[in-house]
Structures are given as structure tokens and as C-alpha cells.
Amino acid sequence: MNVPEIVTTVRSGVCDAVLAPGMWWVGSQLYTITKHITRWKLRYQPGCLAVSTNAWNRISMDYQETIIERMPKIEDSLNRFGWDSSKKCIRAMINYGLEEVKLTSEELNLFKRKTRPIWDTLAGKLYPRELLNEVLDYLEEYHLNKAVNQDNVHR
């Protein structure tokens, strides 16, 4: 469903579960009618920076290089802010009275098995298959690096 429809759909009882960042849930005030919450690692990115090619080409090369050089640090800062804010919102909702439901590893694996095929179904329709493959490659690289780093910590 489209984002603007979520609040109405949840409030009317048509939908009884939504995967959404804590910051969005608090902002939409759906916590006031919610009974349960499960923690997920979701990033809430309410905006983006977009520059047309014509505008970009009018920026001097020096400024373009500076922007390109500084963007990763700005993105990291925004990501950290989003994650920290979402964590605070989740804690606030639990303090408000929402009951936290913790998934077992079996439940989480089942959830992943049931949802992963949707990625392939939407590839080529909602986004290019090449993009999906690139994201999956990055995820695999991330998990491999995480495993190696954890292994190094335990040595």
C-alpha cells in the first residue's frame, strides 16, 4: 500500500501489522492504538538530495569534488541520527505501554524465507533486477565482513 494509506488502514482495522521505522510510527501517532512492537533494523530516510544533471554541470569541478568527497560522511551522520532516533522512539513506545514481542531465530528465519521471494517478484517491475543483484552483493559482502570481524574479535 502507499504510505499515505497506512495510517487510515491501520486505524480502521483493515491492516493489523506494518513494518515501519519507529520514528515514522511515533510521527504518525499510531503508537496510540498499537499494542505490540517488534524491533527491526530499519532506516528512516524522510528525504533525499537530488540535483539535475544540468544543475550539477553548472557547479564548478572543485565544488563537485568537494561534494562527492564529503557526502559519505554526511550520509553516515544522517544514518546514525536516524537509527538513534528510531531507537529512542521504540524505547518511548515501550515506556508508553506497547508490549515488545521478540522473535525467535526460527521465527525470524521463517519471516525471511517468506518475504525474500517478493524481491524477485518485484525485480524488473518496481526496480531494475540489476539493482537488486547489486544490493544482494553488498549484503553478502557486509555479512562476510561482519563474520570475519567477529571471528577476529574472538581470537
Side-chain angles (χ1 to χ4, degrees):
M1 79 181 71
N2 294 318
V3 172
E5 300 168 347
I6 295 172
V7 174
T8 305
T9 305
V10 172
R11 287 195 181 278
S12 67
V14 172
C15 176
D16 62 2
V18 176
L19 184 61
M23 193 185 316
W24 186 86
W25 207 255
V26 167
S28 66
Q29 298 187 359
L30 284 171
Y31 70 93
T32 61
I33 62 165
T34 304
K35 295 179 182 169
H36 302 92
I37 187 168
T38 301
R39 294 178 195 248
W40 293 92
K41 293 179 183 176
L42 294 175
R43 186 177 89 176
Y44 180 54
Q45 195 67 34
C48 70
L49 173 63
V51 180
S52 71
T53 303
N54 289 336
W56 180 256
N57 290 337
R58 288 195 305 263
I59 299 172
S60 75
M61 250 335 192
D62 289 341
Y63 285 132
Q64 286 181 6
E65 289 172 7
T66 301
I67 291 168
I68 291 169
E69 176 187 319
R70 293 185 181 177
M71 281 310 293
K73 185 175 181 180
I74 293 169
E75 289 171 356
D76 287 344
S77 175
L78 287 172
N79 285 338
R80 255 186 263 109
F81 172 77
W83 288 320
D84 291 345
S85 297
S86 233
K87 286 178 189 176
K88 288 177 185 175
C89 288
I90 289 169
R91 279 194 305 269
M93 288 187 283
I94 291 169
N95 289 339
Y96 180 79
L98 274 64
E99 179 185 345
E100 182 177 4
V101 176
K102 295 182 181 183
L103 298 178
T104 65
S105 53
E106 293 83 19
E107 290 169 326
L108 187 56
N109 287 331
L110 176 64
F111 184 81
K112 287 178 180 179
R113 282 195 313 274
K114 295 281 187 179
T115 58
R116 295 302 190 252
I118 296 170
W119 296 357
D120 286 319
T121 302
L122 296 176
K125 296 175 187 167
L126 189 59
Y127 44 79
R129 178 161 294 284
E130 296 79 26
L131 178 61
L132 173 61
N133 293 339
E134 184 178 349
V135 169
L136 292 175
D137 287 345
Y138 282 128
L139 277 171
E140 183 178 350
E141 180 182 335
Y142 168 78
H143 289 296
L144 287 173
N145 287 335
K146 188 175 176 182
V148 167
N149 289 336
Q150 285 178 345
D151 189 42
N152 288 337
V153 167
H154 295 296
R155 289 179 186 214

